[in-house]
């Protein structure tokens, strides 16, 4: 895989360099609530601009249905990129149309432009190779070289991620190079003990990575909504908690395999429960009760791990050498259910281990709960991409850069 440093050595002054970034930031209307992904691509964009490239940044945002939708415009992200760069950033109001061509043609050496949301064109996400390829052809007309730096999208076989690199000289940006380097530390020559903390709502979203990690990890700590399927698999009542009954047989199999392989599954010993889901708009006090994890009352739903579980999880992370964390322990966005996630984050900081926060909600929680990002070994920008890499899958965007 060629890197951006090789491109810079070749020389980029006056050349149009297409940077596939991941500017898929959360928005409240037009206000960005977390600019972490924009800051993550900043080193690549700034370095190219400093070297005199005419930088064309492109990304998706959200899930528009192949047509323009103002709710998913990249205009706020373009404005924020300009603020972080300390320079004006041009914005094209389409992806490959008149505005895109005019905007790119108007760039001078060292200037940066952002194209409108790539998913406003159906060709970006099409499963039809010809339709996707046709869109990639039009994108290629806007550039002389391609830099892949949108790690959060490399697990997608999309035109700008998979097809476009084949049409241009292609290189990995600083972010992707860093992400891949970190993930290799979790898959080859792993320093032990190696613990994995998995949370989030659905166990079905994590089955692939659990299956793979049973061959790699020493401990797997489970939290979030997915924990209740594990508790049910052990024969416990879970009340009105989130439960995927169809996954119970698979979970039972994983628990048995873990025992056979000497992998420690760690489940909560107590949980916070309430009769209803908290009001996420007003964040009104929820007044949860703490109950034993194997004695959740009927009609009550578990929404976070309890105080004894927080101590347990911290103790299981204290002597580790490597930790990967993906998924919150509870409904961390509400203050009454944030302490489990906070405890895991703090345990990672306190641990001597090389710690990786696997993107998505975990990365958002680190920022929302006010932790210093530099206190962790690495915070990934791609939750889904990180998980698929750890599952051993071939990621289309990485394969395209290696080709």
């Amino acid at each position: 895989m060629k890197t951006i440093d090789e491109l810079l050595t070749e020389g980029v002054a006056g050349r149009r360099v297409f940077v596939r970034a991941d500017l898929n930031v959360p928005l409240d209307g037009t206000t960005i609530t977390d600019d972490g992904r924009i800051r993550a691509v900043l080193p690549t964009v700034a370095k190219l601009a400093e070297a005199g490239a005419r930088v064309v940044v492109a990304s998706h945002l959200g899930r528009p249905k192949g047509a323009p939708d103002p709710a998913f415009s990249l205009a706020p992200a373009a404005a924020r990129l300009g603020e972080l760069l300390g320079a004006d950033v041009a914005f094209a109001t389409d992806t490959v149309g008149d505005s895109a061509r005019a905007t790119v043609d108007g760039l001078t050496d060292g200037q940066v432009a952002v194209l409108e949301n790539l998913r406003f064109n159906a060709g970006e996400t099409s499963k039809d190779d010809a339709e996707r390829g046709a869109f990639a052809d039009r994108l290629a007309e806007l550039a002389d070289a391609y830099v892949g730096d949108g790690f959060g999208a490399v697990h997608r076989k999309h035109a700008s991620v998979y097809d476009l690199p084949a049409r241009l000289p292609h290189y990995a940006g600083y972010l992707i190079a860093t992400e891949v380097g970190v993930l290799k530390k979790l898959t080859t020559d792993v320093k032990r003990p190696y613990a994995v903390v998995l949370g989030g709502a659905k166990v079905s979203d994590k089955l692939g990575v659990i299956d793979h990690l049973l061959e790699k990890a020493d401990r797997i700590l489970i939290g979030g909504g997915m924990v209740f399927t594990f508790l049910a698999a052990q024969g416990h009542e879970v009340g009105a908690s989130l439960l995927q009954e169809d996954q119970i047989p698979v979970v039972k199999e994983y628990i048995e395999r873990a025992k056979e392989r000497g992998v420690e599954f760690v489940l909560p010993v107590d949980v916070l429960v309430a009769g209803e889901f908290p009001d996420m708009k007003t964040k009104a006090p929820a007044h949860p009760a703490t109950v034993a994890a194997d004695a959740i009352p009927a009609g009550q739903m578990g929404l976070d791990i309890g105080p004894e579980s927080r101590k347990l999880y911290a103790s299981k992370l204290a002597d580790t050498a490597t930790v990967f964390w993906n998924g919150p322990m509870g409904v961390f966005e509400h203050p009454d259910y944030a302490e489990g996630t906070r405890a895991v984050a703090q345990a990672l900081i306190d641990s001597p281990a090389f710690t990786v926060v696997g993107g998505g909600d975990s990365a958002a929680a680190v920022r929302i709960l006010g932790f210093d990002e530099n206190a962790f070994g690495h915070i990934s920008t791609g939750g889904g991409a990180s998980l698929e890499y750890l599952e051993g899958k071939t990621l289309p965007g990485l394969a395209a850069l290696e080709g």
Side-chain angles (χ1 to χ4, degrees):
M1 185 185 295
K2 289 185 177 180
T3 67
I4 185 176
D5 285 332
E6 293 173 77
L7 173 60
L8 290 165
T9 299
E10 295 168 12
V12 294
R15 297 175 68 188
R16 301 168 302 164
V17 180
F18 188 104
V19 177
R20 199 339 178 153
D22 179 8
L23 307 181
N24 186 26
V25 292
L27 294 171
D28 181 3
T30 59
T31 301
I32 296 171
T33 57
D34 181 356
D35 67 356
R37 285 177 169 164
I38 302 175
R39 288 186 284 110
V41 78
L42 201 62
T44 290
V45 174
K47 192 72 171 181
L48 289 168
E50 288 168 9
R54 302 179 183 191
V55 187
V56 182
V57 180
S59 175
H60 70 287
L61 191 152
R63 297 180 181 271
K65 299 181 179 180
D69 183 337
F72 297 105
S73 175
L74 274 173
R80 180 59 179 150
L81 179 61
E83 291 172 0
L84 293 169
L85 286 170
D88 290 337
V89 168
F91 182 66
T93 57
D94 57 27
T95 56
V96 291
D98 292 342
S99 178
R101 288 192 297 272
T103 301
V104 173
D105 287 346
L107 291 176
T108 58
D109 294 1
Q111 285 193 316
V112 178
V114 174
L115 303 181
E116 185 53 284
N117 193 334
L118 291 165
R119 291 186 183 175
F120 285 1
N121 189 304
E124 169 67 2
T125 59
S126 175
K127 289 182 168 47
D128 181 83
D129 291 348
E131 184 180 10
R132 220 175 46 246
F135 182 50
D137 286 339
R138 296 184 69 188
L139 289 172
E141 293 172 1
L142 301 173
D144 304 305
Y146 175 94
V147 172
D149 216 29
F151 181 73
V154 293
H155 59 314
R156 306 296 188 194
K157 192 176 181 179
H158 291 169
S160 66
V161 175
Y162 178 76
D163 302 274
L164 184 55
R167 289 156 169 78
L168 294 168
H170 47 272
Y171 309 82
Y174 292 124
L175 174 61
I176 279 187
T178 298
E179 294 272 15
V180 171
V182 166
L183 289 170
K184 284 182 177 178
K185 291 184 180 180
L186 301 178
T187 53
T188 57
D189 299 322
V190 182
K191 293 184 178 179
R192 299 185 179 280
Y194 175 23
V196 177
V197 186
L198 295 175
K202 295 182 178 180
V203 69
S204 56
D205 293 339
K206 303 290 197 303
L207 288 179
V209 75
I210 294 172
D211 182 58
H212 201 70
L213 287 169
L214 284 172
E215 310 296 321
K216 303 280 187 182
D218 299 302
R219 292 175 198 150
I220 302 177
L221 288 64
I222 303 293
M226 62 186 286
V227 80
F228 301 106
T229 303
F230 277 85
L231 292 172
Q234 293 184 325
H236 302 310
E237 172 61 50
V238 297
S241 305
L242 182 65
L243 174 64
Q244 290 186 284
E245 289 191 52
D246 60 323
Q247 302 299 333
I248 289 177
V250 181
V251 169
K252 284 182 175 179
E253 179 197 334
Y254 286 174
I255 292 172
E256 287 304 311
R257 277 177 57 198
K259 288 179 182 177
E260 292 169 5
R261 298 194 62 82
V263 177
E264 185 181 7
F265 257 123
V266 183
L267 299 176
V269 294
D270 59 350
V271 293
L272 299 186
V273 299
E276 59 184 4
F277 199 79
D279 188 325
M280 300 304 291
K281 288 185 177 179
T282 65
K283 306 289 175 74
H287 307 295
T290 301
V291 301
D294 60 359
I296 299 173
Q300 296 287 298
M301 63 178 71
L303 295 163
D304 193 15
I305 62 174
E308 292 304 315
S309 300
R310 294 173 217 150
K311 295 176 187 176
L312 172 65
Y313 284 27
S315 71
K316 294 295 183 180
L317 296 172
D319 66 344
T320 51
T322 305
V323 182
F324 173 75
W325 171 34
N326 180 278
M329 297 294 98
V331 188
F332 73 92
E333 300 91 341
H334 191 286
D336 287 349
Y337 302 108
E339 292 310 307
T341 302
R342 189 189 304 279
V344 166
Q346 187 62 53
L348 263 65
I349 292 172
D350 295 340
S351 168
F354 174 65
T355 56
V356 179
V357 180
D361 285 342
S362 307
V366 164
R367 290 187 275 268
I368 290 170
L369 297 177
F371 288 97
D372 179 1
E373 295 179 47
N374 295 319
F376 301 88
H378 178 71
I379 298 180
S380 179
T381 57
S386 295
L387 289 176
E388 291 198 15
Y389 189 99
L390 293 183
E391 285 179 45
K393 291 184 177 180
T394 297
L395 306 189
L398 297 184
L401 291 175
E402 290 166 353

